[in-house]
Amino acid sequence: MTHANRIAQSTGFTGLLSQRPLCRTRRLQCFRTISEQPGSRLGVLVPKRWAARAVDRHAFKRLVRQAHLQWRKQTGLNEDLLIRLVSPIQSMGLSDRKQWWNELQQLFNSIQERT
C-alpha cells in the first residue's frame, strides 16, 4: 500500500473522527467518508494506551492494511476509511493474528453491507 492510499495527516483523521462510527466490532470502530479522489484511502488509529509496544502497533497496522487491500480488490469501493482500535492488544502472536484477521473480515463485511 502506497502513501497515496493512506490517510496520514491529522486533518484527515479529524474529519473522519467527527462523524459517527459506521460500524463497530468488539475491539474496533470504523469511520467512513465517500472520497472525491480515485481509489480508497485508509487510516489506522492505534493509541499507545491500547498497544504499548511498538512491535504490536506496527504488526496490527500491517494486518489492517493487508485486510483492507484484499477487501478493496474485491469491492472496488471509493471510500476513505479509518479503523480505530478501542480496546487493548495483549500481544500479536500467530493465534492472536488469526483472531484479529477474523474480526477485520467481520468489520469489512459489515461495511460492505451498509453501502
Side-chain angles (χ1 to χ4, degrees):
M1 177 174 281
T2 65
H3 285 286
N5 295 341
R6 295 182 188 174
I7 300 172
Q9 297 180 350
S10 63
T11 55
F13 284 103
T14 305
L16 285 165
L17 287 171
S18 65
Q19 301 176 10
R20 287 184 46 213
L22 173 67
C23 54
R24 182 183 170 106
T25 63
R26 189 168 54 97
R27 301 179 286 187
L28 300 170
Q29 281 182 339
C30 179
F31 299 84
R32 172 186 72 172
T33 60
I34 305 301
S35 177
E36 297 83 28
Q37 301 176 359
S40 176
R41 295 186 311 156
L42 175 70
V44 184
L45 190 61
V46 184
K48 285 184 182 178
R49 70 177 177 166
W50 297 133
R53 296 180 347 152
V55 172
D56 294 333
R57 287 193 304 274
H58 294 300
F60 180 74
K61 287 180 181 182
R62 282 193 305 272
L63 196 64
V64 171
R65 288 184 192 121
Q66 184 62 35
H68 177 258
L69 183 63
Q70 183 182 26
W71 176 76
R72 190 177 67 187
K73 285 180 180 179
Q74 291 173 354
T75 62
L77 294 176
N78 193 32
E79 302 174 336
D80 289 346
L81 298 175
L82 173 64
I83 307 297
R84 180 181 183 191
L85 181 68
V86 293
S87 69
I89 293 177
Q90 301 302 324
S91 68
M92 285 298 290
L94 184 59
S95 62
D96 296 321
R97 288 176 196 220
K98 289 179 183 178
Q99 291 174 356
W100 281 108
W101 183 261
N102 291 334
E103 190 164 342
L104 285 165
Q105 295 302 316
Q106 177 186 357
L107 183 72
F108 285 120
N109 288 337
S110 64
I111 293 170
Q112 190 169 356
E113 290 170 3
R114 293 173 189 260
T115 56

